[in-house]
């Protein structure tokens, strides 16, 4: 359920292991909106390497994007995150890849199609019930209602997850309704598309303008300006142009919006990612601020953890208890993700106050995710004295010449 990066990763991983899958999405059309444009972390690039698509994905974006910070019309700093992180034999990917999420989804759909599977669009999950032998789900599409029986159901259907709500799971955490940004895809005249332009003004607001590789489109994030009555304006081209004029004082013109929305600061997660034959992954299980550029990465890695386990249970007779290890390994990672994203926001805010940096302050070596591990997980057991690498760690890459 859900055909974003998480659902597509899981569907392909299962299909390549010989598991019969159906992947549905309620949207009738695939989005071209940039949405999560901030990047693909090295740990996720390693997943895509295993899938055989990493080179294709790397060509769609860039690992070298200057962060250019302004105060009004004056440049105050410029930084290139991870510029010194050259590849190493044990870690071939050590830089954040800036690429539109929609393009990554397209590559994953193409790889899934090679297994004979495709996303069923415009299909809604109305309800489901589970029993000892499987899950019975009722689906609705233009052709009417359909009842489907499956061994397992996985909700990869985002922060407003239908599956999570049907399970009645608490989505603990908080939402800051008063901390919103307008966000959208627009064309920009008046700036060279060679950097991510950033304004952090304690009086006028926040403005971020990021060019999207190989397009005329930029993603904009802006503090909502006030309307004539003093209320925050909603997402519109006029509101975003007002924000640009107020914050920059520069002759920057916006046009041709193709996607407009509002982004709130959500920090929430479940404590349970499995209820018998129904599981959750990605934003359905955890949502967090965009700082630290963790975005869809944690969801892709959820799916990668779950895929081989489901395949072993379904096709190779492994005990159902193997699926319990998914939750026990991934819930701590979700907690880490929420904390890391919030900590990154604090670092960025501190830099704003000092006037010594911007979004790059939230990008640390930790946020590359190469240090994440399952040392305390149920499948990890050290049989030798602890060394540099322990049971549950990410295995270092090991080139084998010849």
């Amino acid at each position: 359920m859900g055909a974003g990066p998480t659902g597509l990763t899981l569907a392909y991983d299962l299909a390549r292991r010989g598991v019969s899958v159906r992947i549905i999405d309620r949207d009738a059309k695939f989005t071209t909106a940039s949405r999560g444009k901030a990047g693909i972390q090295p740990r996720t690039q390693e997943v895509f390497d295993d899938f055989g698509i990493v080179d294709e994905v790397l060509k769609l974006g860039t690992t070298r994007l200057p962060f250019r910070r302004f105060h009004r019309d004056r440049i105050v700093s410029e930084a290139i995150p991870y510029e010194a992180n050259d590849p190493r034999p044990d870690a071939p990917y050590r830089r954040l890849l800036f690429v539109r999420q929609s393009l990554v989804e397209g590559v994953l759909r193409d790889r899934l199609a090679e297994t004979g599977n495709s996303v069923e669009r415009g299909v809604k999950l109305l309800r489901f019930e589970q029993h000892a032998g499987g899950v019975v789900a009722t689906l609705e599409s233009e052709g009417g209602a359909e009842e489907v029986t499956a061994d397992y159901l996985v909700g990869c259907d985002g922060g407003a997850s239908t599956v999570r709500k049907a399970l009645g799971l608490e989505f603990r955490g908080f939402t800051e309704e008063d901390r919103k940004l307008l966000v959208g895809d627009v064309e920009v005249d008046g700036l060279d598309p060679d950097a991510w332009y950033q304004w952090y003004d304690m009086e006028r607001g926040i403005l971020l303008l990021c060019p999207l590789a190989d397009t005329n489109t930029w993603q904009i994030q802006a503090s909502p300006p006030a309307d004539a009555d003093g209320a925050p304006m909603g997402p519109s081209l006029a509101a975003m142009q007002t924000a640009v004029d107020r914050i920059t004082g520069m002759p920057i013109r916006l046009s041709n919006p193709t996607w407009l929305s509002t982004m709130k600061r959500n920090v929430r997660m479940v404590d349970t990612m499995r209820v018998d034959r129904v599981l959750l992954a990605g934003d359905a299980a955890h949502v967090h601020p965009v700082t630290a550029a963790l975005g869809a990465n944690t969801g892709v890695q959820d799916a990668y953890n779950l895929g081989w386990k489901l395949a072993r249970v379904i096709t190779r007779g492994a005990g159902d208890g193997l699926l319990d290890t998914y939750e026990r390994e991934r819930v701590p990672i979700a907690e880490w993700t929420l904390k890391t994203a919030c900590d990154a926001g604090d670092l960025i805010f501190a830099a704003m106050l000092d006037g010594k940096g911007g979004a790059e302050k939230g990008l640390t070596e930790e946020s590359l995710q190469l240090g994440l591990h399952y040392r305390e997980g149920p499948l990890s057991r050290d049989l030798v004295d602890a060394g540099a690498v322990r049971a549950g760690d990410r295995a270092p890459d090991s080139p084998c010449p010849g």
Side-chain angles (χ1 to χ4, degrees):
M1 172 67 183
T6 303
L8 289 166
T9 295
L10 181 60
Y12 173 68
D13 203 15
L14 289 170
R16 70 171 180 162
R17 298 175 189 278
V19 178
S20 177
V21 299
R22 287 187 68 174
I23 177 170
I24 66 171
D25 196 281
R26 65 184 302 146
D27 291 339
K29 296 181 179 180
F30 297 129
T31 182
T32 58
S34 60
R35 293 187 299 170
K37 63 94 188 64
I40 305 299
Q41 296 285 5
R43 191 67 170 258
T44 302
Q45 293 173 44
E46 293 185 344
V47 174
F48 292 162
D49 189 319
D50 183 34
F51 285 3
I53 60 173
V54 69
D55 290 339
E56 186 176 356
V57 171
L58 287 169
K59 290 177 182 177
L60 297 174
T62 180
T63 59
R64 192 183 187 281
L65 182 65
F67 285 26
R68 190 171 296 157
R69 194 169 70 87
F70 281 71
H71 178 71
R72 300 292 278 168
D73 61 352
R74 178 174 60 88
I75 298 176
V76 294
S77 67
E78 182 165 305
I80 301 177
Y82 307 118
E83 186 175 27
N85 281 22
D86 293 328
R88 297 192 315 235
D90 65 319
Y93 311 105
R94 298 184 59 232
R95 293 173 180 162
L96 180 64
L97 173 68
F98 296 89
V99 60
R100 282 191 294 164
Q101 180 177 309
S102 58
L103 297 180
V104 177
E105 290 173 357
V107 174
L108 285 167
R109 286 195 300 268
D110 290 344
R111 182 47 56 104
L112 179 63
E114 294 174 7
T115 68
N117 294 278
S118 60
V119 177
E120 299 177 42
R121 293 178 286 175
V123 180
K124 298 179 181 179
L125 173 67
L126 296 181
R127 57 187 172 273
F128 63 85
E129 59 183 28
Q130 51 180 322
H131 50 77
V135 181
V136 179
T138 302
L139 311 179
E140 183 182 57
S141 64
E142 284 188 352
E146 174 190 8
E147 198 170 84
V148 176
T149 300
D151 291 324
Y152 293 92
L153 168 67
V154 184
C156 307
D157 50 339
S161 173
T162 299
V163 177
R164 185 191 67 246
K165 292 175 181 177
L167 291 172
L169 297 177
E170 180 186 1
F171 208 29
R172 64 175 176 85
F174 59 89
T175 300
E176 295 184 342
E177 296 288 349
D178 60 339
R179 293 183 63 176
K180 297 180 180 179
L181 287 177
L182 304 180
V183 60
D185 292 346
V186 297
E187 292 184 9
V188 174
D189 182 49
L191 295 175
D192 293 327
D194 62 344
W196 188 357
Y197 295 79
Q198 305 175 11
W199 287 260
Y200 296 94
D201 191 312
M202 299 302 293
E203 295 181 1
R204 296 180 176 86
I206 295 172
L207 174 66
L208 308 175
L209 286 166
C210 184
L212 303 175
D214 297 324
T215 73
N216 294 323
T217 304
W218 297 58
Q219 187 185 87
I220 180 174
Q221 295 169 288
S223 299
D227 62 18
D229 297 324
M233 298 175 68
S236 69
L237 181 63
M240 292 177 173
Q241 184 66 62
T242 299
V244 168
D245 295 343
R246 170 178 167 78
I247 295 170
T248 73
M250 296 170 63
I252 301 170
R253 304 306 302 172
L254 309 182
S255 63
N256 193 26
T258 55
W259 170 60
L260 299 171
S261 187
T262 302
M263 182 169 60
K264 294 184 292 187
R265 190 171 187 262
N266 281 318
V267 184
R268 295 184 179 275
M269 65 174 285
V270 297
D271 294 318
T272 300
M273 297 178 73
R274 180 192 180 197
V275 179
D276 299 324
R277 290 180 173 270
V278 181
L279 302 101
L280 299 174
D283 286 354
H286 41 74
V287 295
H288 52 85
V290 298
T291 46
L294 299 174
N297 292 279
T298 303
V300 167
Q301 293 160 37
D302 284 347
Y304 193 64
N305 181 290
L306 180 58
W308 70 268
K309 296 173 180 178
L310 270 175
R312 277 188 171 267
V313 171
I314 293 171
T315 67
R316 299 181 64 177
D320 184 73
L322 178 61
L323 299 181
D324 291 333
T325 70
Y326 165 65
E327 175 182 299
R328 291 178 63 185
E329 290 180 339
R330 294 306 295 175
V331 165
I333 300 299
E335 292 175 335
W336 173 91
T337 301
L338 268 60
K339 181 180 184 303
T340 301
C342 290
D343 288 349
D346 292 341
L347 292 171
I348 294 170
F349 186 69
M352 286 173 54
L353 292 177
D354 291 342
K356 296 180 179 179
E360 76 280 357
K361 297 299 183 180
L363 300 177
T364 65
E365 287 298 308
E366 186 179 18
S367 62
L368 295 176
Q369 299 183 299
L370 294 176
L372 295 179
H373 62 79
Y374 304 136
R375 289 180 179 178
E376 287 75 40
L379 299 180
S380 300
R381 181 166 45 156
D382 282 305
L383 300 180
V384 297
D385 291 338
V389 179
R390 292 173 49 191
D393 286 355
R394 166 196 169 272
D397 202 55
S398 301
C400 300

